[in-house]
Amino acid sequence: MSTSPAIDCPSDVPRAKVPRPRILFTSVFGPYARDDEYGSRAINPMELYHNQVTRGQGPFSLRMFHRSWGLMMMRDNISAPNALLDFPTRDRFIKELRKEHYDVVAISAIPPNYLKAVEMCRLVREHQPHAEIVVGGHISGLPRIKERLGADYVVRGEGISWFRRFLGEDENAPIRHPRIMSGIGARTMGIKLGDKPGDTAATLIPSVGCPMGCNFCATSAMFGGKGKFINFWDTGDELFAEMAGIERDMRVQTFFVMDENFLLHRKRALRLLELMKEHNKSWSLYVFSSANVLKSYTVEQLVGLGVSWVWMGLEGKESRYQKLHGADTREVVRWLQSHGISVLGSTIIGLEEHTPDNMADAIEHAVSHDTEFHQFMLYTPVPGTPLFEEHKQKGTLLDPEWENGTDMHGQLSFAHRHPHLPPGTETDWLLQAFSRDFEANGPSILRMARTALQGWLRYGNDPDPRIRARFRREAGRLPVDYAAAVWAARSYFRTKPEVRRRAEELLEQLRAEFGLRCRLASSLGGRWLNIMLRREERRMAKGITYEPPTFYEKSEDFVPLRPA
C-alpha cells in the first residue's frame, strides 16, 4: 500500500487498551426509508440510485443496496477477532451488545446519520461501558464530533492503517481485498434482477481519495484533499493479480471499480491493459473518471481495458472545475456512447452562478447530455470540505455546528444561504431536474439498451476475439430481457409521444438485429413485464419502501463470549 505524503496514518495513533481486542464493526441502524426521531427520512433511503440518480423514474427506478465496503475492507485487514453487523435495526444492535462481549465498537456513519451515531454511542456506554468507541466515515468532518458523540476516537481518512497501528500490527502489510458483490437486492420495473454468480459486478477498490480536489467533494477532503490519494495497489501487475483472484473466487468478469478517478493513474491502467491482452481477459470495468482524463486515452485503449460504464462529473453549464477545463462534455458523452460505453452523468443544482433566470437553462443543458443515468445533487457545503470552510468564513452556513443536519443530504434543502436562489426554491429546481430528464430521455433502461446495442453493432464481430467476447457477453440480454423492457416501456408511455417514439425505434432495431427470438420475447415478455411494472407503480403509490437485509459476519477466530 502506498500513500501520498500528506495523508500517512498519524504517528500518534494510540494503542488499544486490551491486547488482541474483540472488535465489532457496525453501520448505523435502520430502518432507513422512513421519517423517525433518529434522522431517517423517507426521502433519503439507503439506496444510492433511487435516492439520487433514478429518483424521478417511478417504477422504472433502479433499486439496490450496497454493503458497507469500508467496514469490510478494515475487517479483512486486521488479525484481531471481529464481527461485522451491517444494516442492523436498533433492536438488533442492542441484542448484539447484550449477547457478545466487545472491547472495541467501531461505527461508520455519514453526517445525516448524526443522531443515529449519538444513540449508538449511548447504547454502547449503557451495555458495554468498558468498550472503546471508534467512529469513522464522513461524519468525522463534523465540528467537535468526538466530544458530541462521546466517542473515544474519531478516525478521519483511511481506516486500515489506523486500525493496524491501533492494534500494534504492521500497517504496511499487503492489503487483502474482500470479495464484495457491488449491489444486493437489485430490482427494477417490479422484478428482481439476477443474483447468480456473474450476474452482478464485483467491487474493486484500488485507491481512495481524489487528487482533483473539487471544493465540494467530501471524499477528496476526507483523504487529504487536492493532490492526495492512497493507492492500495500501485502497479498494473499488482492490480491484475488481485482482479484475477476475484474473478476466480467469485466467477465474475465485471468489476465495479470504486476509485474516484481510476484512469488518472495512467501508468497502472495501461499496464493493466497490457496484461489483459497477454492473458486474454475480456473483463468489463465500471469506472469513475473526469472528462479530461477520458479524452487523454484513445478509444482503442478504453475499449481494450473493458471500460463499459463511466460515472462522470458534468457539474454544470460553464463549470469552472479544472477537471472539465476545455472539455465539451456533451461531445465526450456522445463519443463514449457510440462505442457502447454507458455514462452516469452528475450535475450540481445550485452552483454560485445559478439564478432563478438561468436555472431552467442549466437543467436543459444537463438533460441534453442524454446520459444513461443522471445524478442531480444540491450544491452542499459538507463539513470537512473547503466549501464548508469557505461558507463558514462568509457566515452563510445555516447551521455552522451541523446540529440539525439531518435534512442536509443534497436531496432536499441547502445547508447555506444561496446568493441568488430564494430559500425553499432549491427543492423545486431539484425535482424539476429529475422530472425533466425522465420526460425528455425516458427511463434509464431504454438508454442502457440503446447504448448496449450501439456497442454490439460496432464490436460484436470485432476481429479481436477478446473484444468480441466482451461485447457479445454484454449484449446477451438485448434479444430477450431488454427487448421485453422496451416493449413494456412503449406501452407505458403511450401518452408520452417522444419517449414512446424512442421506444418504438429501439424495439424495431432490436427486432431487425435479433430476429424471431427477439420478436417473441419482446411481445410475450413485454406483456408480463408491463403487468409487473403497473404493480410496482401501485406499491410505490401506497408508500411501500424497501430496506436492506441485516448482515452478521464473524472472523474465523471469533469465539462467542458473553458480556461480563
Side-chain angles (χ1 to χ4, degrees), residues 142-162:
L142 266 63
R144 301 181 297 102
I145 187 61
K146 181 174 179 289
E147 294 76 13
R148 290 161 67 183
L149 292 178
D152 294 290
Y153 312 107
V154 171
V155 180
R156 182 158 177 79
E158 191 275 301
I160 297 174
S161 294
W162 190 94

Side-chain angles (χ1 to χ4, degrees), residues 76-372:
D76 283 7
N77 282 280
I78 60 172
S79 63
N82 64 80
L84 170 59
L85 187 59
D86 211 0
F87 307 133
T89 61
R90 181 175 177 275
D91 287 345
R92 178 64 183 84
F93 180 63
I94 293 173
K95 179 181 178 181
E96 186 64 21
L97 294 177
R98 286 175 173 171
K99 78 180 182 72
E100 291 289 355
H101 169 87
Y102 290 103
D103 302 300
V104 177
V105 178
I107 303 167
S108 176
I110 59 175
N113 290 327
Y114 165 70
L115 293 178
K116 293 189 178 189
V118 170
E119 175 65 0
M120 293 178 82
C121 289
R122 186 192 70 78
L123 289 169
V124 174
R125 295 299 186 214
E126 176 183 343
H127 295 285
Q128 302 214 21
H130 63 279
E132 295 183 277
I133 300 175
V134 181
V135 175
H138 288 291
I139 197 173
S140 63
L142 266 63
R144 301 181 297 102
I145 187 61
K146 181 174 179 289
E147 294 76 13
R148 290 161 67 183
L149 292 178
D152 294 290
Y153 312 107
V154 171
V155 180
R156 182 158 177 79
E158 191 275 301
I160 297 174
S161 294
W162 190 94
F163 262 102
R164 284 175 168 176
R165 190 168 286 189
F166 179 67
L167 298 170
E169 300 178 8
D170 179 6
E171 65 184 283
N172 295 311
I175 295 293
R176 296 182 293 273
H177 198 297
R179 287 0 187 189
I180 310 172
M181 300 304 294
S182 62
I184 54 175
R187 60 189 296 132
T188 188
M189 300 177 73
I191 63 167
K192 294 181 180 179
L193 304 182
D195 56 3
K196 301 189 301 295
D199 284 343
T200 303
T203 297
L204 175 71
I205 309 175
S207 311
V208 291
C210 180
M212 302 306 291
C214 296
N215 65 342
F216 60 83
C217 183
T219 301
S220 177
M222 187 165 75
F223 293 103
K226 191 175 182 65
K228 308 298 191 301
F229 59 90
I230 300 172
N231 277 343
F232 294 132
W233 290 276
D234 283 319
T235 69
D237 294 82
E238 294 170 340
L239 190 57
F240 178 85
E242 190 61 41
M243 293 172 73
I246 294 173
E247 177 190 39
R248 179 192 63 245
D249 296 343
M250 298 181 68
R251 291 183 287 164
V252 297
Q253 291 181 284
T254 304
F255 297 86
F256 183 93
V257 185
M258 186 63 252
D259 184 313
E260 294 295 317
N261 210 328
F262 175 70
L263 296 174
L264 188 63
H265 305 279
R266 187 179 182 85
K267 182 178 179 180
R268 183 178 66 185
L270 293 181
R271 176 56 180 159
L272 176 63
L273 172 58
E274 291 177 357
L275 291 168
M276 288 175 64
K277 289 179 177 179
E278 180 182 333
H279 295 273
N280 195 33
K281 296 296 185 183
S282 57
W283 293 332
S284 300
L285 306 186
Y286 302 164
V287 306
F288 293 70
S289 189
S290 56
N292 279 338
V293 171
L294 283 164
K295 289 295 290 182
S296 72
Y297 287 78
T298 66
V299 73
E300 291 79 16
Q301 289 170 330
L302 294 176
V303 170
L305 267 169
V307 174
S308 60
W309 183 96
V310 174
W311 186 311
M312 182 172 72
L314 309 175
E315 313 315 357
K317 188 177 182 180
E318 299 177 357
S319 170
R320 297 188 296 271
Y321 291 104
Q322 182 63 33
K323 65 184 179 182
L324 298 172
H325 181 68
D328 182 335
T329 51
R330 284 182 290 196
E331 178 184 288
V332 173
V333 168
R334 298 291 179 270
W335 172 62
L336 294 170
Q337 290 172 333
S338 70
H339 292 277
I341 301 174
S342 293
V343 180
L344 191 160
S346 180
T347 291
I348 295 172
I349 301 297
L351 291 167
E352 291 96 335
E353 61 267 25
H354 286 164
T355 70
D357 293 332
N358 66 25
M359 195 68 250
D361 183 54
I363 290 173
E364 287 302 313
H365 174 75
V367 169
S368 69
H369 286 79
D370 193 10
T371 53
E372 282 64 40

Side-chain angles (χ1 to χ4, degrees), residues 57 367 374 376 432-442 447:
Q57 297 192 19
V367 169
H374 209 130
F376 293 98
Q432 181 176 322
F434 282 112
S435 176
R436 182 68 190 120
D437 182 59
F438 187 49
E439 177 186 87
N441 300 319
R447 308 179 219 177

Side-chain angles (χ1 to χ4, degrees), residues 29-44 112-113 115-116 406-407 547:
F29 61 79
Y32 308 97
R34 72 176 190 184
D35 297 339
D36 68 16
E37 68 271 31
Y38 298 112
S40 287
R41 293 292 183 265
I43 197 176
N44 191 30
N113 290 327
L115 293 178
K116 293 189 178 189
T406 296
D407 293 317
E547 296 286 347

